[in-house]
């Protein structure tokens, strides 16, 4: 049988643990039945209420912890001995309370630095997912009414990832599923849409998928000649063209590449399958046409031609390789709409950014970017409802761009890491389905807009900016330090982050001398006799009194941090707060030690 150490249980540390656990259970139980706000979705009924209870407990924890330090002095039978000031016997009598104060500060620091940001971030995520679900449901209903089953399917899938098998989506889910089955059964080839040429893409410098890419023009020529000897004519032509792109202008390698490319192309055009084999002839022409568009840099047109070839005659290794090349080229100018359904990550609604960008070819400026719903991950982000306004260096308005969808990806542009906003969305199978941006100029003329916009920043900065939209207090400590250093060029005042850093580090540390003073007050007003009926109500009154004190303490500390940063600067303020905390702690110990019976 396990024996309970009554002395340890009734020690100041034991009372703190019991008091905190009991308070946590009561608070979370109360918030489960009486949450401060309804959940964003019925699906979040339980996690939302539990998270609200946790947030309420975290908010009340300092007051509860201070109350637990005072409670032992009101219920413990303390012998009325006379202690002299700075007596070792007094410090021995108060030792357990000091240990409890240290435990309180350690637990408070853990909750403040780790648990509180996670709980607040979880609350924001549930709110954002609720907004995204509502937006996706609305778009799905609109698309279903317009018989646009492919687009409706994307939005239904987003809803399903947030709220699986929701009853309110049952009817829409069934109708969209039936519509998609009919669409898959009736898909056929369509005429290719017009598309702007994009030569110079990094995909044009890629090797054959599944093979090692050549490092220079000589190696590319050797690989082209080997492919030609093995009668892999398309591979040979692509590698010969790659040698020309890798070679220095007017060099011997460039001239050899031109000659070899011409020879292979003449050989390709002279090869024709048996005219009686009409299907083989049709597939051959389709493959050659797709290859011509790919060589010219029109990755989108080539992609759909190769996709059609693969549907009619699967298994051609050339088509498999070239389809992979086209997808790589497309990834730099557009994206497929079905990628969005797989990207329900960290969600932000109503995001607004001010970002440096290349607003005109070769000209830098700034864009004000608004995204109705933004889903971020470590490698890329997707947005629904894109709207941006572009300005030149002199802050003159240039144009306005709107796009239904967007993808934000990091890319290397002219040897530098940049952020690229892609606003051209494609259907993976149907080339007639595409979503392009629209540009409105100064004269209110609406014209097709460019499908990509280069922004002069790195993706890591964009992720920090996205997190800041939830408030500096929700940033992790590492992100807060990075924001203070790097986000001055994005419309943020560094002093905001500097004040938050000081406040975040000083609040739990500064709490230690506060607990010492509370122990001092508990000793000064300790019960001289055994408490009777007044002891119970004090367990409820003390947290209320201390909650008001903690609220004043936090407000003063926050305002003092902001004032000091603005008045003296970051480093002097940090030194001032650290020195003040040490001095306050030493003074609190001196005051406590000077007490006597």
């Amino acid at each position: 049988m396990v024996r309970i150490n009554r002395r340890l249980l009734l020690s100041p540390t034991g009372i703190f643990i019991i008091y905190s656990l009991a308070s946590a259970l009561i608070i979370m139980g109360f918030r489960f039945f009486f949450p401060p706000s309804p959940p964003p979705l019925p699906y979040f009924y339980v996690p939302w209420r539990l998270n609200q209870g946790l947030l309420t407990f975290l908010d009340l924890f300092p007051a509860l912890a201070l109350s637990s330090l005072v409670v032992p002095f009101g219920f413990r039978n303390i012998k009325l001995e006379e202690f002299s000031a700075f007596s070792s016997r007094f410090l021995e009598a108060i030792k357990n309370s000091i240990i409890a104060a240290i435990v309180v500060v350690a637990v408070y620091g853990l909750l403040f630095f780790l648990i509180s940001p996670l709980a607040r971030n979880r609350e924001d995520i549930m709110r954002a997912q609720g907004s995204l679900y509502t937006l996706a449901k609305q778009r799905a209903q609109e698309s279903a009414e317009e018989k646009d089953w492919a687009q409706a399917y994307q939005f239904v899938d987003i809803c399903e990832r947030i709220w699986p098998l929701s009853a309110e989506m049952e009817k829409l889910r069934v109708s969209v599923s039936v519509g998609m089955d009919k669409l898959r059964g009736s898909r056929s080839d369509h005429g290719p849409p017009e598309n702007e040429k994009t030569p110079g893409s990094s995909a044009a410098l890629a090797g054959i998928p599944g093979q090692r890419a050549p490092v220079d023009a000589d190696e590319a020529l050797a690989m082209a000649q080997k492919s030609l000897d093995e009668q892999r004519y398309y591979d040979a032509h692509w590698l010969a063209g790659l040698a020309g792109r890798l070679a220095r202008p007017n060099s011997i390698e460039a001239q050899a590449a031109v000659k070899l490319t011409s020879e292979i192309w003449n050989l390709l055009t002279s090869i024709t399958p048996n005219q009686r084999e009409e299907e083989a002839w049709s597939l051959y022409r389709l493959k050659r046409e797709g290859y011509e568009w790919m060589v010219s840099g029109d990755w989108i047109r080539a992609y759909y031609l190769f996709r059609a070839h693969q549907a009619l005659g699967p298994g051609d290794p050339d088509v498999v390789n070239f389809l992979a090349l086209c997808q790589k080229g497309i990834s730099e100018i557009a994206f497929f709409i079905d990628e969005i359904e797989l990207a329900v990550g960290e969600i932000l609604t109503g995001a607004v950014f001010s970002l440096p960008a290349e607003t005109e070819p070769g000209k830098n400026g700034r864009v004000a970017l608004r995204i109705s719903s933004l889903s971020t991950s470590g490698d890329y982000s997707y947005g629904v409802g894109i709207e941006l306004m572009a300005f030149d260096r002199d802050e003159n308005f240039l144009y306005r761009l709107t796009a239904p969808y967007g993808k934000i990806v990091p890319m290397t542009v002219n040897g530098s890491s940049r952020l690229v906003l892609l606003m051209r969305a494609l259907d993976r199978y149907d080339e007639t389905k595409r979503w392009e941006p629209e540009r409105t100029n100064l004269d209110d003329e609406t014209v097709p807009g460019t499908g990509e916009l280069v922004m002069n920043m790195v993706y890591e900065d964009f992720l920090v900016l996205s997190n800041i939209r939830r408030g500096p207090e929700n940033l992790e400590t590492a992100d807060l330090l990075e924001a203070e250093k790097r986000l001055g060029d994005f419309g943020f005042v560094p002093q905001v982050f500097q004040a938050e850093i000081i406040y975040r580090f000083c609040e739990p540390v500064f709490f230690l001398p506060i607990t010492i003073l509370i122990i001092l007050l508990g000793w000064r007003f300790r019960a001289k006799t055994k408490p009777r009926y007044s002891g119970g109500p004090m367990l409820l009154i003390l947290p209320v009194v201390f909650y008001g004190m903690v609220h004043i303490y936090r407000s003063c500390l926050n305002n003092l941090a902001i004032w000091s940063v603005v008045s003296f600067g970051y480093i002097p303020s940090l030194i001032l707060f650290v020195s003040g905390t040490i001095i306050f702690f030493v003074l609190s110990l001196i005051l406590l030690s000077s007490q006597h019976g």
Side-chain angles (χ1 to χ4, degrees), residues 27-42 44-56 126:
I27 290 171
M28 295 192 70
F30 176 80
R31 281 303 186 205
F32 188 84
F33 294 102
F34 303 100
S37 59
L41 291 175
F44 298 139
Y45 182 88
V46 173
W48 175 264
R49 291 166 183 256
L50 293 177
N51 196 73
Q52 291 299 306
L54 178 59
L55 287 173
T56 303
M126 284 191 282

Side-chain angles (χ1 to χ4, degrees), residues 538-570:
M538 292 302 295
L539 294 177
L540 301 177
I541 296 174
L542 283 175
V544 176
V545 175
F546 285 132
Y547 180 77
M549 292 176 57
V550 169
H551 181 72
I552 296 173
Y553 154 70
R554 285 174 169 172
S555 299
C556 292
L557 188 64
N558 189 34
N559 291 331
L560 189 60
I562 296 173
W563 173 80
S564 62
V565 167
V566 173
S567 301
F568 307 114
Y570 178 48

Side-chain angles (χ1 to χ4, degrees), residues 247-475:
R248 294 190 305 273
N250 301 321
S251 63
I252 298 177
E253 292 84 357
Q255 296 175 11
V258 171
K259 181 180 179 182
L260 183 59
T261 302
S262 178
E263 292 176 357
I264 298 173
W265 185 250
N266 290 334
L267 185 61
L268 276 172
T269 55
S270 65
I271 297 175
T272 56
N274 190 332
Q275 293 286 345
R276 289 172 298 181
E277 300 177 357
E278 296 182 0
E279 183 178 352
W281 171 243
S282 175
L283 287 175
Y284 175 77
R285 293 195 59 179
L286 192 61
K287 181 167 107 174
R288 192 172 76 179
E289 183 181 358
Y291 183 77
E292 290 173 356
W293 286 116
M294 187 181 73
V295 171
S296 70
D298 196 333
W299 303 106
I300 296 177
R301 190 186 295 260
Y303 168 82
Y304 286 114
L305 288 171
F306 287 132
R307 173 68 73 179
H309 185 287
Q310 192 178 52
L312 295 173
D316 190 320
D318 288 333
V319 173
V320 173
N321 290 336
F322 295 147
L323 198 58
L325 275 175
C326 289
Q327 289 178 326
K328 178 177 176 59
I330 287 175
S331 68
E332 300 177 5
I333 58 174
F335 64 96
F336 294 108
I337 191 66
D338 58 8
E339 298 175 24
I340 296 180
E341 68 186 70
L342 303 176
V344 182
E346 298 292 325
I347 302 171
L348 186 65
T349 56
V352 180
F353 303 95
S354 173
L355 308 175
E358 186 177 310
T359 52
E360 297 286 358
K363 297 180 181 179
N364 293 326
R366 183 169 287 274
V367 296
L369 175 63
R370 181 183 181 278
I371 305 176
S372 298
S373 179
L374 175 66
S375 176
T376 61
S377 64
D379 301 318
Y380 44 76
S381 300
Y382 291 94
V384 177
I386 310 295
E387 180 181 2
L388 69 85
M389 300 178 69
F391 303 86
D392 61 16
R393 283 187 172 183
D394 299 324
E395 300 182 358
N396 297 316
F397 175 76
L398 297 175
Y399 56 84
R400 175 175 174 267
L401 271 178
T402 57
Y405 309 104
K407 180 180 181 180
I408 301 173
V409 291
M411 286 189 188
T412 301
V413 180
N414 297 327
S416 301
S417 296
R418 290 290 183 264
L419 195 67
V420 178
L421 171 61
L422 303 176
M423 293 173 284
R424 179 184 293 111
L426 308 174
D427 186 277
R428 193 176 296 273
Y429 304 100
D430 188 350
E431 61 182 314
T432 63
K433 299 279 188 182
R434 66 165 59 192
W435 297 264
E436 298 274 2
E438 290 186 351
R439 170 170 169 162
T440 304
N441 296 321
L442 280 171
D443 54 2
D444 291 334
E445 180 187 5
T446 301
V447 296
T450 178
E452 57 271 356
L453 182 70
V454 179
M455 288 174 279
N456 301 325
M457 61 184 299
V458 296
Y459 188 68
E460 289 75 13
D461 287 345
F462 180 77
L463 290 179
V464 176
L465 281 171
S466 301
N467 291 331
I468 287 175
R469 294 299 168 182
R470 299 188 178 102
E473 66 278 1
N474 293 325
L475 285 179

